[in-house]
Amino acid sequence: MAEGAAAAVGAGPDVNTAGNPTEIAMAYLQDETDGDVANLNLGELDLTTDEFILDEVDIHIQANLEDDLVKEALKTGVDLRQYSKQVESELQRIEQASIKDYIKESQNIALLHNQITACDSILERMEGMLSGFQSDLSSISSEIQTLQQQSVSMNVRLKNRQAVRSHLSQLVDELVVPGAMISTILDSPVTEQEFLEQLHELNNKINFAKELSFRETLACSDIQDIVDRLKLKAVSKIREFILQKIYSFRKPMTNYQIPQNTLLKYRFFYQFLLANERTVAKEIRDEYVDTMSKIYYSYFKSYSGRLLKVQYEEVADKDDLMGVEDTAKKGFFSKPSLKSRNTIFTLGQRGAILSPAELEGPILVPHTAQRGDSRYPYETLFRSQHYALLDNGCREFLFLSDFFMVAGNSALDLFNSIMGKTLSMFLKSMSTYVSDCYDSIAVFLCIHIILRFRAITAKRNIPALDKYWEAVLELLWPRFELILEMNIHSIRNTDPQKLGVLDTRPHYITRRYAEFSSAIVSINQTFPNERTNALLGQLQVEVENFVLKMAAEFPSRRDQLIFLINNYDMMLSVLMERAADDSKEVEGFQQLLLARTQEFIEEILSPPFGGMIAFVKEAEALMEKGQLERLKNEEARITQLVRGFSSTWKQSVEAMSQDVMRSFTNFKNGTSIIQGALTQLIQYYHGFHKILNQPTFRSLAVRSELINLHHLMVEVKKHKPNF
């Protein structure tokens, strides 16, 4: 039976032929039991094989001896054969129990077997289905890739078609000439906004047609004829309109700024002509230049001529110089015979012409001035004339730059072609006036008017008149310098003995200088000029020399000092009214006045108090050397000085004050001199006190007769003049 079971185990159970579940279970059980016995027998048979190696047997035995069950058996001294049989019987018992369990569960095992078989078939069918799905998905993926490629291709074609359509649409739109454009260009007046808009469109189509012709586009020939005819019609209407506006400038009493503003409103007309019909554009430009050149020349020539009719009739000539004798015929500083006579050395109100209000004020209207019998100095006429030029020149330059679309040198050339004749006329007229002008203040005011007008045009960024301003200054500066040099020479060559009766009051020549110098200095402060300052310095030197020469004509030093102080004070007062306090001229005369005033104070103190002053100076000098004992024997002299001062000082101070106030024309200056003299007197008397308080003179009895210094100061204050 064992051999049959082993044979059944070796062959394996035949599940397909098993008839019932019990047999199937028995077959599985028998197969497992025989397998275990076979393994056991094979293990035992392995000990007899030729390939067995003793070393390995030792290792195997040693490993088994390490087993806990074996160790326990060896310790208890169990008989292994008996134990082996016991184990074998136990195994057989377990085997029989297992067989019963298998038989008991044979129904479930058979059912499980059938279910597994059914699952295998189901899984096999699912595998087939999934394989089909996989192949379908592969085909779908390839189709999606194909569709994606087709989509990209179609998108590219669409973009290309849209781009082509855009270009073609633009091309067609640019090529098509609408009926509205044709009717507007042909029938509408040029002043209508619709005409201007259609003219812009026509200009675009003309430019587009030119561009297409360069590319040799065949479609261009389809519209070329109608575009050319529209262009000719538009050019004709624009030419007629602009020329009509230009001809309207020529009408008498026309304000040409109004048609100019109209032309600026339609500045595109000239741009259209310049781009499409240059011959017509040149014709219009030449016509405008010719018309405006004549208008400006005629206007300014007439205006300048009428301005000269309201100029002062009395003007300076070559004999009206600073150093010329003031006779009854000349009388510059006497009241003029004409109530409107212009003075040539006094600025007066003439400097107001440089104030912003008058500099940019309304221009003179000659016929209105003539009607009112008004007369003006040359610089007022000059200002009015050149402000009109500045205003019209700036406006014209801006119009030319805007309407004719020129800039830089082209704009300047166009401006000069219009205003050149007028500017030349101005320069010629001015050259004629300047060559015979001896009114240096008028010339200097004209120079500063030009300097300010040049600054105005620079601020407005209008370079059109820059060269003209320079040309005018080149005419005026040399003339001003020449007149100034003539005045310098006239003062230098003046003979004091030919100037009439000597007088200690301010001389009329120094007054001329003071008025003139203050005028030039005050005007020159805004735009300083070194050449002018140098000439004024030379003039000041000559005037100072002249004053010294005139003072030398007086026999006494006192009269000389009075003359010098009066003239220095007068010149300083006039200069300080207009010039800055720190100007070179003011500082120079302040120093001269201070020096001569101090000398005059010593001069007037000398007659009444000369003895005391001399004693004080002598004693102070000896005190510094420590030799005051040398005056110890001067008791009689000191007594005379003390008593003389005490008895006469009041009368002397009063006489001195009256004499000073009679000698000086400026009461303020006279008062200042008296105060200085009294202060100096008190200082001398204070020094006299100090000397007599020295040990050398303390024993003198006359010291008790000295006037108290504080009392003297109180009394002296009573003699100060009040004005």
Side-chain angles (χ1 to χ4, degrees), residues 162-182:
Q162 288 178 341
V164 171
R165 179 180 179 181
S166 175
H167 289 297
L168 287 176
S169 176
Q170 182 180 359
L171 177 64
V172 171
D173 290 342
E174 293 291 345
L175 287 175
V176 171
V177 180
M181 177 185 292
I182 297 173

Side-chain angles (χ1 to χ4, degrees), residues 416-650:
N416 290 330
S417 63
I418 293 175
M419 300 296 294
K421 191 175 180 181
T422 301
L423 298 180
S424 298
M425 182 263 294
F426 271 22
L427 290 174
K428 183 177 180 180
S429 173
M430 199 175 309
S431 178
T432 302
Y433 169 79
V434 166
S435 63
D436 195 38
C437 175
Y438 295 90
D439 187 352
S440 53
I441 291 181
V443 175
F444 199 59
L445 285 171
C446 291
I447 289 173
H448 279 263
I449 288 171
I450 293 297
L451 292 175
R452 284 161 173 77
F453 282 168
R454 185 172 66 179
I456 291 173
T457 55
K459 185 178 181 180
R460 296 181 183 179
N461 197 23
I462 305 295
L465 293 170
D466 288 352
K467 290 185 177 179
Y468 174 74
W469 301 139
E470 294 299 328
V472 174
L473 292 175
E474 288 176 1
L475 282 174
L476 295 176
W477 273 118
R479 188 63 188 181
F480 173 72
E481 293 172 359
L482 176 63
I483 299 172
L484 207 53
E485 289 173 353
M486 291 173 65
N487 280 285
I488 292 172
H489 290 306
S490 69
I491 294 176
R492 182 184 301 153
N493 298 329
T494 298
D495 185 358
Q497 296 181 353
K498 296 181 180 180
L499 296 180
V501 181
L502 291 176
D503 193 344
T504 57
R505 291 175 295 179
H507 200 273
Y508 59 82
I509 290 181
T510 58
R511 179 172 291 278
R512 290 175 182 173
Y513 163 76
E515 295 286 353
F516 177 78
S517 181
S518 65
I520 299 301
V521 169
S522 63
I523 296 171
N524 199 47
Q525 287 174 352
T526 308
F527 291 90
N529 180 268
E530 293 302 323
R531 176 63 177 162
T532 302
N533 292 334
L535 290 172
L536 285 178
Q538 295 179 23
L539 182 62
Q540 180 179 351
V541 170
E542 295 301 330
V543 169
E544 290 175 3
N545 292 336
F546 165 76
V547 172
L548 293 176
K549 286 193 296 184
M550 286 296 299
E553 296 294 315
F554 291 92
S556 66
R557 182 57 181 169
R558 179 179 176 280
D559 290 340
Q560 292 177 0
L561 291 173
I562 292 173
F563 177 80
L564 291 174
I565 291 173
N566 276 330
N567 281 274
Y568 290 153
D569 177 64
M570 181 273 298
M571 289 188 287
L572 186 61
S573 299
V574 174
L575 282 170
M576 291 182 68
E577 288 180 5
R578 297 186 179 275
D581 292 343
D582 58 349
S583 66
K584 183 175 63 176
E585 291 80 7
V586 170
E587 291 179 354
F589 284 116
Q590 281 178 336
Q591 294 174 2
L592 291 172
L593 178 62
L594 182 62
R596 299 290 80 79
T597 300
Q598 195 62 36
E599 185 180 353
F600 179 74
I601 288 173
E602 297 291 336
E603 186 72 22
I604 60 175
L605 288 176
S606 181
F609 308 109
M612 182 189 68
I613 294 172
F615 177 79
V616 169
K617 290 180 178 180
E618 180 182 359
E620 286 178 347
L622 291 174
M623 283 176 63
E624 290 180 0
K625 298 178 182 179
Q627 301 175 359
L628 192 59
E629 294 293 331
R630 293 173 59 180
L631 297 177
K632 189 174 182 179
N633 298 324
E634 298 286 342
E635 182 178 355
R637 179 184 174 188
I638 294 172
T639 301
Q640 182 182 359
L641 291 175
V642 171
R643 292 174 179 173
F645 183 86
S646 298
S647 61
T648 63
W649 74 269
K650 289 185 178 181

Side-chain angles (χ1 to χ4, degrees), residues 83-351:
Y83 185 75
S84 174
K85 290 178 180 181
Q86 185 182 351
V87 169
E88 184 176 354
S89 64
E90 184 69 25
L91 287 173
Q92 288 177 355
R93 186 182 61 77
I94 293 172
E95 180 181 355
Q96 292 299 323
S98 297
I99 291 171
K100 290 178 181 181
D101 289 338
Y102 274 111
I103 292 171
K104 184 179 179 181
E105 296 292 333
S106 61
Q107 292 291 337
N108 293 333
I109 292 172
L111 180 60
L112 178 62
H113 174 72
N114 290 333
Q115 289 177 350
I116 291 173
T117 303
C119 286
D120 286 343
S121 63
I122 291 171
L123 291 174
E124 186 177 356
R125 288 197 304 272
M126 289 183 67
E127 182 180 2
M129 290 174 63
L130 291 175
S131 298
F133 288 157
Q134 184 177 6
S135 63
D136 291 342
L137 288 175
S138 299
S139 62
I140 290 172
S141 177
S142 63
E143 289 177 2
I144 290 175
Q145 291 179 355
T146 303
L147 289 174
Q148 186 177 6
Q149 293 174 356
Q150 291 177 355
S151 176
V152 172
S153 176
M154 290 175 67
N155 190 35
V156 171
R157 289 199 300 271
L158 177 62
K159 288 183 178 179
N160 292 337
R161 288 179 181 179
Q162 288 178 341
V164 171
R165 179 180 179 181
S166 175
H167 289 297
L168 287 176
S169 176
Q170 182 180 359
L171 177 64
V172 171
D173 290 342
E174 293 291 345
L175 287 175
V176 171
V177 180
M181 177 185 292
I182 297 173
S183 60
T184 302
I185 296 297
L186 293 178
D187 302 328
S188 297
V190 297
T191 54
E192 290 189 1
Q193 181 64 26
E194 187 179 359
F195 180 87
L196 185 60
E197 294 174 356
Q198 294 298 334
L199 188 65
H200 277 279
E201 291 296 325
L202 177 60
N203 189 57
N204 293 335
K205 292 189 182 298
I206 293 172
N207 294 333
F208 189 70
K210 290 179 181 178
E211 182 180 350
L212 292 181
S213 64
F214 292 142
R215 301 178 185 175
E216 299 181 356
T217 304
L218 296 178
C220 178
S221 59
D222 295 338
I223 64 165
Q224 191 65 51
D225 181 59
I226 188 170
V227 168
D228 288 342
R229 283 189 289 172
L230 286 175
K231 181 181 71 173
L232 291 176
K233 182 63 176 178
V235 168
S236 174
K237 294 177 72 173
I238 291 172
R239 174 182 177 276
E240 181 181 355
F241 171 76
I242 296 179
L243 288 179
Q244 181 182 0
K245 291 297 179 184
I246 293 175
Y247 294 152
S248 68
F249 296 168
R250 303 176 181 178
K251 296 179 182 179
M253 307 299 293
T254 297
N255 183 358
Y256 60 86
Q257 295 176 12
I258 295 176
Q260 272 188 341
N261 293 334
T262 303
L263 288 177
L264 284 178
K265 184 179 178 182
Y266 301 103
R267 62 174 65 85
F268 181 72
F269 288 172
Y270 184 78
Q271 181 180 347
F272 181 83
L273 294 178
L274 194 63
N276 300 289
E277 199 64 47
R278 287 186 173 271
T279 55
V280 177
K282 184 177 185 303
E283 177 191 3
I284 288 176
R285 177 168 165 170
D286 292 343
E287 192 67 33
Y288 179 85
V289 168
D290 181 65
T291 299
M292 294 307 297
S293 176
K294 292 177 180 177
I295 288 174
Y296 281 125
Y297 180 78
S298 174
Y299 166 73
F300 279 107
K301 183 178 181 180
S302 173
Y303 183 67
S304 300
R306 284 180 289 150
L307 279 179
L308 292 177
K309 294 180 181 179
V310 295
Q311 184 182 2
Y312 281 134
E313 295 179 359
E314 294 185 10
V315 295
D317 57 28
K318 62 181 180 180
D319 295 325
D320 292 323
L321 300 174
M322 210 172 289
V324 174
E325 182 182 357
D326 190 11
T327 62
K329 180 180 179 180
K330 290 295 177 184
F332 291 121
F333 294 96
S334 60
K335 291 185 179 181
S337 56
L338 295 177
K339 63 179 180 179
S340 298
R341 182 177 179 181
N342 180 25
T343 58
I344 60 173
F345 296 117
T346 304
L347 184 62
Q349 297 300 317
R350 297 170 72 182

